[in-house]
PDB file of all heavy atoms in Angstrom:
ATOM      1  N   GLY Q 146     -17.525   8.838  -0.074  1.00  0.00           N
ATOM      2  CA  GLY Q 146     -17.070   7.766  -0.950  1.00  0.00           C
ATOM      3  C   GLY Q 146     -15.710   7.233  -0.677  1.00  0.00           C
ATOM      4  O   GLY Q 146     -15.113   6.564  -1.465  1.00  0.00           O
ATOM      5  N   ASN Q 147     -15.211   7.560   0.531  1.00  0.00           N
ATOM      6  CA  ASN Q 147     -13.959   7.007   0.874  1.00  0.00           C
ATOM      7  C   ASN Q 147     -14.128   6.376   2.306  1.00  0.00           C
ATOM      8  O   ASN Q 147     -15.059   6.685   3.056  1.00  0.00           O
ATOM      9  CB  ASN Q 147     -12.933   8.113   1.126  1.00  0.00           C
ATOM     10  CG  ASN Q 147     -12.480   8.799  -0.307  1.00  0.00           C
ATOM     11  OD1 ASN Q 147     -11.806   8.209  -1.023  1.00  0.00           O
ATOM     12  ND2 ASN Q 147     -13.165  10.008  -0.630  1.00  0.00           N
ATOM     13  N   GLU Q 148     -13.101   5.648   2.775  1.00  0.00           N
ATOM     14  CA  GLU Q 148     -13.118   5.103   4.102  1.00  0.00           C
ATOM     15  C   GLU Q 148     -12.244   5.922   4.906  1.00  0.00           C
ATOM     16  O   GLU Q 148     -11.059   6.102   4.665  1.00  0.00           O
ATOM     17  CB  GLU Q 148     -12.463   3.592   4.017  1.00  0.00           C
ATOM     18  CG  GLU Q 148     -12.446   2.950   5.310  1.00  0.00           C
ATOM     19  CD  GLU Q 148     -11.602   1.634   5.320  1.00  0.00           C
ATOM     20  OE1 GLU Q 148     -11.181   1.326   4.255  1.00  0.00           O
ATOM     21  OE2 GLU Q 148     -11.241   1.195   6.309  1.00  0.00           O
ATOM     22  N   PHE Q 149     -12.663   6.422   6.052  1.00  0.00           N
ATOM     23  CA  PHE Q 149     -12.070   7.256   7.012  1.00  0.00           C
ATOM     24  C   PHE Q 149     -11.397   6.323   8.093  1.00  0.00           C
ATOM     25  O   PHE Q 149     -12.235   5.645   8.776  1.00  0.00           O
ATOM     26  CB  PHE Q 149     -12.997   8.250   7.622  1.00  0.00           C
ATOM     27  CG  PHE Q 149     -13.466   9.334   6.484  1.00  0.00           C
ATOM     28  CD1 PHE Q 149     -14.605   9.081   5.934  1.00  0.00           C
ATOM     29  CD2 PHE Q 149     -12.536  10.358   6.161  1.00  0.00           C
ATOM     30  CE1 PHE Q 149     -14.835   9.976   4.850  1.00  0.00           C
ATOM     31  CE2 PHE Q 149     -12.788  11.135   5.152  1.00  0.00           C
ATOM     32  CZ  PHE Q 149     -14.122  11.052   4.458  1.00  0.00           C
ATOM     33  N   ILE Q 150     -10.140   6.440   8.231  1.00  0.00           N
ATOM     34  CA  ILE Q 150      -9.482   5.495   9.150  1.00  0.00           C
ATOM     35  C   ILE Q 150      -8.839   6.208  10.503  1.00  0.00           C
ATOM     36  O   ILE Q 150      -8.411   5.421  11.302  1.00  0.00           O
ATOM     37  CB  ILE Q 150      -8.309   4.728   8.508  1.00  0.00           C
ATOM     38  CG1 ILE Q 150      -7.244   5.762   7.829  1.00  0.00           C
ATOM     39  CG2 ILE Q 150      -8.875   3.955   7.280  1.00  0.00           C
ATOM     40  CD1 ILE Q 150      -6.015   5.134   7.317  1.00  0.00           C
ATOM     41  N   GLY Q 151      -9.022   7.461  10.552  1.00  0.00           N
ATOM     42  CA  GLY Q 151      -8.466   8.135  11.665  1.00  0.00           C
ATOM     43  C   GLY Q 151      -8.556   9.719  11.553  1.00  0.00           C
ATOM     44  O   GLY Q 151      -8.618  10.171  10.491  1.00  0.00           O
ATOM     45  N   GLU Q 152      -8.599  10.400  12.747  1.00  0.00           N
ATOM     46  CA  GLU Q 152      -8.503  11.805  12.844  1.00  0.00           C
ATOM     47  C   GLU Q 152      -7.939  12.101  14.152  1.00  0.00           C
ATOM     48  O   GLU Q 152      -7.952  11.420  15.112  1.00  0.00           O
ATOM     49  CB  GLU Q 152     -10.021  12.517  12.645  1.00  0.00           C
ATOM     50  CG  GLU Q 152     -10.970  12.054  13.719  1.00  0.00           C
ATOM     51  CD  GLU Q 152     -12.240  12.494  13.413  1.00  0.00           C
ATOM     52  OE1 GLU Q 152     -12.817  12.231  12.177  1.00  0.00           O
ATOM     53  OE2 GLU Q 152     -12.923  13.100  14.297  1.00  0.00           O
ATOM     54  N   ILE Q 153      -7.216  13.289  14.007  1.00  0.00           N
ATOM     55  CA  ILE Q 153      -6.536  13.813  15.296  1.00  0.00           C
ATOM     56  C   ILE Q 153      -6.356  15.257  15.065  1.00  0.00           C
ATOM     57  O   ILE Q 153      -6.158  15.760  13.945  1.00  0.00           O
ATOM     58  CB  ILE Q 153      -5.176  13.081  15.396  1.00  0.00           C
ATOM     59  CG1 ILE Q 153      -4.600  13.389  16.872  1.00  0.00           C
ATOM     60  CG2 ILE Q 153      -4.124  13.469  14.339  1.00  0.00           C
ATOM     61  CD1 ILE Q 153      -3.454  12.569  17.265  1.00  0.00           C
ATOM     62  N   ASP Q 154      -6.294  16.051  16.247  1.00  0.00           N
ATOM     63  CA  ASP Q 154      -6.103  17.453  16.132  1.00  0.00           C
ATOM     64  C   ASP Q 154      -5.016  17.863  17.046  1.00  0.00           C
ATOM     65  O   ASP Q 154      -4.600  17.185  18.012  1.00  0.00           O
ATOM     66  CB  ASP Q 154      -7.292  18.352  16.305  1.00  0.00           C
ATOM     67  CG  ASP Q 154      -7.922  18.214  17.679  1.00  0.00           C
ATOM     68  OD1 ASP Q 154      -8.113  17.230  18.171  1.00  0.00           O
ATOM     69  OD2 ASP Q 154      -8.018  19.364  18.325  1.00  0.00           O
ATOM     70  N   PHE Q 155      -4.353  18.944  16.742  1.00  0.00           N
ATOM     71  CA  PHE Q 155      -3.159  19.457  17.642  1.00  0.00           C
ATOM     72  C   PHE Q 155      -3.336  20.927  17.866  1.00  0.00           C
ATOM     73  O   PHE Q 155      -3.568  21.737  16.907  1.00  0.00           O
ATOM     74  CB  PHE Q 155      -1.838  19.244  16.652  1.00  0.00           C
ATOM     75  CG  PHE Q 155      -1.556  17.804  16.315  1.00  0.00           C
ATOM     76  CD1 PHE Q 155      -2.019  17.255  15.088  1.00  0.00           C
ATOM     77  CD2 PHE Q 155      -0.640  17.042  17.125  1.00  0.00           C
ATOM     78  CE1 PHE Q 155      -1.798  15.911  14.889  1.00  0.00           C
ATOM     79  CE2 PHE Q 155      -0.375  15.756  16.776  1.00  0.00           C
ATOM     80  CZ  PHE Q 155      -0.884  15.297  15.659  1.00  0.00           C
ATOM     81  N   VAL Q 156      -3.260  21.267  19.110  1.00  0.00           N
ATOM     82  CA  VAL Q 156      -3.463  22.466  19.583  1.00  0.00           C
ATOM     83  C   VAL Q 156      -2.173  23.283  19.668  1.00  0.00           C
ATOM     84  O   VAL Q 156      -1.429  22.741  20.481  1.00  0.00           O
ATOM     85  CB  VAL Q 156      -4.297  22.576  20.934  1.00  0.00           C
ATOM     86  CG1 VAL Q 156      -4.339  24.104  21.487  1.00  0.00           C
ATOM     87  CG2 VAL Q 156      -5.652  21.963  20.798  1.00  0.00           C
ATOM     88  N   GLU Q 157      -1.948  24.306  18.837  1.00  0.00           N
ATOM     89  CA  GLU Q 157      -0.685  25.059  18.860  1.00  0.00           C
ATOM     90  C   GLU Q 157       0.494  24.062  18.962  1.00  0.00           C
ATOM     91  O   GLU Q 157       1.300  24.074  19.903  1.00  0.00           O
ATOM     92  CB  GLU Q 157      -0.725  26.003  20.045  1.00  0.00           C
ATOM     93  CG  GLU Q 157      -1.771  27.063  19.797  1.00  0.00           C
ATOM     94  CD  GLU Q 157      -1.702  28.109  20.854  1.00  0.00           C
ATOM     95  OE1 GLU Q 157      -0.872  28.112  21.795  1.00  0.00           O
ATOM     96  OE2 GLU Q 157      -2.545  29.115  20.675  1.00  0.00           O
ATOM     97  N   PRO Q 158       0.679  23.257  17.927  1.00  0.00           N
ATOM     98  CA  PRO Q 158       1.771  22.240  17.979  1.00  0.00           C
ATOM     99  C   PRO Q 158       3.116  22.728  18.292  1.00  0.00           C
ATOM    100  O   PRO Q 158       3.970  21.996  18.829  1.00  0.00           O
ATOM    101  CB  PRO Q 158       1.773  21.555  16.467  1.00  0.00           C
ATOM    102  CG  PRO Q 158       0.585  22.131  15.848  1.00  0.00           C
ATOM    103  CD  PRO Q 158       0.055  23.228  16.643  1.00  0.00           C
ATOM    104  N   LYS Q 159       3.524  23.960  17.850  1.00  0.00           N
ATOM    105  CA  LYS Q 159       4.868  24.369  18.107  1.00  0.00           C
ATOM    106  C   LYS Q 159       5.150  24.839  19.518  1.00  0.00           C
ATOM    107  O   LYS Q 159       6.264  24.858  19.954  1.00  0.00           O
ATOM    108  CB  LYS Q 159       5.212  25.640  17.105  1.00  0.00           C
ATOM    109  CG  LYS Q 159       5.369  25.244  15.678  1.00  0.00           C
ATOM    110  CD  LYS Q 159       5.566  26.617  14.873  1.00  0.00           C
ATOM    111  CE  LYS Q 159       5.905  26.284  13.512  1.00  0.00           C
ATOM    112  NZ  LYS Q 159       6.209  27.508  12.704  1.00  0.00           N
TER     113      LYS Q 159
END
Side-chain angles (χ1 to χ4, degrees):
N147 294 285
E148 174 190 359
F149 293 93
I150 60 171
E152 61 189 50
I153 191 169
D154 67 306
F155 299 88
V156 179
E157 297 184 355
K159 289 182 176 178

